[in-house]
Amino acid sequence: VGFLGMVFGLMPGWLILRSVTLPGMWNDRFGLPGMWAAPIFIVGLLTILFRENRLKREIIVVLLISLAVGHNFRITNDYKWSTTWQQRFFSQLKWRVPELKANTSILADNELFSKVGEYPTSFMLNIFYPSEQVSPNLDHWFFTIHKFFPNVEDLGTGFEVKVEKWYSVYKANSQDNLVIRWIPDPGSCLWVLSSNDRYNPLISNNTKRALPVSNLSLIQTDQPTSWPDAYLFGEENRDTWCYYYETADLARQQSRWNDVIDLYEKAEAKGYHARNGVELMPFIEGYARTGKADVAMTLTNHAATITPHLREYLCDNWNRISKEMASDPIFLQEYQTFSDRELCHEVK
């Protein structure tokens, strides 16, 4: 019974040339129809092999059960962490992108969560942000750059992006995107990227190629909505560095420089610190633009200390800021010293 149950249980997968042994994240599902029969087969086989030695048989059964339970715990833990990272991502997304215009695509060079593909992530985005369109039309979609746009420079030509998945339809202009960087890492937050990140050493080359079509003006803040369903996306938790980074980065986008400084001082007072130099940039710019270029330079030096290979990224941003701060003698002094030391004139 056990043997036949496994054979006939696995046969539907074999008939479509699929099996649990093929590479791929989801192929293990083809083993489900035969799982009920596998224990019967194993116990029956052990009974035949160790008919006269019950102790050995039971020891092997106990070991197999222990391995099965341990494996089940490991798989459960994987899904638990996938859920945790999803909740952290959407919290940070809400802080950085309170609302998002309809027909906006989100691009990244990797899938955002383990055991979750592009279209489930896209459906989550459409639940996360209130819909402006009538079903089956969707407001947002998530794309992995390398998979959907191998010639990423073509996005700038403005062609129609269209996706149909089951009953749902998504249409947008190829220029209407947010390019992000997100990895499940406690040392990094969600980054909503722009052309200011062209020298960011922590993002992929594909992501850098997509930066020209990252349009931050698609982010909306004039119609704030309540926190999304906590049962789906978790409770809001502001006791984290990422809260201060995300809200400060949004304030930087809106040129609310005093708010940027206030957020940094609050984070410092609570003992939250950046774990990489890139996440200090909103605060560097905030201090630089409010007459405290010496503090900005201190943070710049700290950023270069905690993250290697930031020279071009830091120089590029100081060069950009300097074009608007020529009337500030304190800024010019700090900028000139830094530029001469790091040869920032070489960064174009």
Side-chain angles (χ1 to χ4, degrees):
V1 170
F3 177 76
L4 292 177
M6 288 194 301
V7 170
F8 286 104
L10 298 175
M11 190 171 292
W14 297 338
L15 290 175
I16 60 170
L17 304 179
R18 305 290 289 274
S19 73
V20 296
T21 58
L22 291 176
M25 185 179 296
W26 313 116
N27 286 324
D28 55 358
R29 69 184 185 269
F30 295 109
L32 290 173
M35 287 182 66
W36 67 271
I40 298 175
F41 173 74
I42 292 172
V43 172
L45 182 62
L46 290 174
T47 301
I48 294 172
L49 295 176
F50 300 99
R51 187 181 300 276
E52 304 299 330
N53 196 327
R54 180 178 176 181
L55 179 61
K56 284 186 178 180
R57 184 175 73 233
E58 292 185 351
I59 288 174
I60 294 174
V61 170
V62 168
L63 288 174
L64 291 174
I65 292 173
S66 301
L67 290 171
V69 171
H71 181 73
N72 199 42
F73 273 117
R74 183 175 65 80
I75 296 299
T76 302
N77 191 56
D78 288 346
Y79 277 95
K80 178 262 183 188
W81 275 107
S82 182
T83 300
T84 298
W85 287 118
Q86 289 172 48
Q87 292 177 345
R88 292 182 183 180
F89 169 83
F90 281 105
S91 291
Q92 294 172 34
L93 183 65
K94 183 66 174 178
W95 295 326
R96 180 61 182 88
V97 186
E99 296 298 329
L100 188 60
K101 287 185 178 180
N103 305 110
T104 300
S105 306
I106 294 183
L107 311 181
D109 204 33
N110 58 287
E111 292 188 8
L112 303 182
F113 318 110
S114 64
K115 303 182 178 17
V116 181
E118 290 95 347
Y119 73 84
T121 302
S122 301
F123 292 154
M124 283 193 284
L125 286 169
N126 285 277
I127 296 173
F128 184 73
Y129 288 116
S131 177
E132 297 182 15
Q133 302 187 77
V134 178
S135 182
N137 297 306
L138 300 180
D139 289 350
H140 311 293
W141 199 265
F142 169 73
F143 296 98
T144 48
I145 299 170
H146 67 278
K147 180 177 179 180
F148 290 94
F149 307 111
N151 299 317
V152 65
E153 289 83 2
D154 293 345
L155 288 171
T157 62
F159 60 88
E160 182 186 61
V161 175
K162 182 177 180 180
V163 179
E164 295 183 5
K165 187 64 179 180
W166 297 322
Y167 182 66
S168 302
V169 179
Y170 173 72
K171 296 179 182 179
N173 188 290
S174 64
Q175 296 176 318
D176 294 335
N177 313 285
L178 286 186
V179 179
I180 67 171
R181 185 260 199 184
W182 163 262
I183 56 174
D185 181 359
S188 180
C189 304
L190 166 67
W191 298 349
V192 176
L193 304 170
S194 69
S195 57
N196 297 338
D197 291 280
R198 58 183 178 157
Y199 289 110
N200 186 334
L202 301 182
I203 62 177
S204 69
N205 289 331
N206 255 356
T207 303
K208 291 179 182 179
R209 292 166 59 201
L211 293 179
V213 293
S214 187
N215 185 358
L216 302 191
S217 67
L218 298 170
I219 298 172
Q220 296 179 307
T221 59
D222 55 343
Q223 297 177 341
T225 59
S226 60
W227 191 256
D229 190 340
Y231 288 104
L232 296 176
F233 300 102
E235 299 283 353
E236 182 178 21
N237 177 18
R238 297 185 175 185
D239 292 327
T240 168
W241 160 258
C242 288
Y243 167 75
Y244 294 95
Y245 166 73
E246 303 295 353
T247 50
D249 202 31
L250 178 61
R252 172 175 68 156
Q253 177 186 332
Q254 299 173 324
S255 300
R256 295 186 285 111
W257 304 116
N258 290 328
D259 290 344
V260 172
I261 294 174
D262 183 58
L263 285 162
Y264 182 75
E265 292 175 350
K266 287 180 178 178
E268 286 284 295
K270 291 190 174 184
Y272 300 127
H273 308 286
R275 298 186 184 181
N276 63 76
V278 171
E279 290 173 10
L280 286 174
M281 184 49 65
F283 309 106
I284 292 172
E285 185 167 356
Y287 280 109
R289 290 184 180 275
T290 53
K292 299 177 181 179
D294 54 336
V295 181
M297 184 53 60
T298 299
L299 290 180
T300 299
N301 294 330
H302 180 56
T305 299
I306 61 178
T307 301
H309 312 300
L310 275 191
R311 170 186 164 266
E312 291 182 329
Y313 175 74
L314 295 171
C315 278
D316 185 54
N317 279 278
W318 273 88
N319 290 345
R320 172 179 58 83
I321 300 169
S322 69
K323 296 175 182 178
E324 302 176 18
M325 298 294 293
S327 61
D328 185 338
I330 298 177
F331 175 87
L332 290 179
Q333 180 181 354
E334 295 290 345
Y335 168 66
Q336 197 60 52
T337 301
F338 176 71
S339 180
D340 292 344
R341 186 184 75 207
E342 300 295 338
L343 302 178
C344 287
H345 64 276
E346 297 179 350
V347 180
K348 303 297 184 181

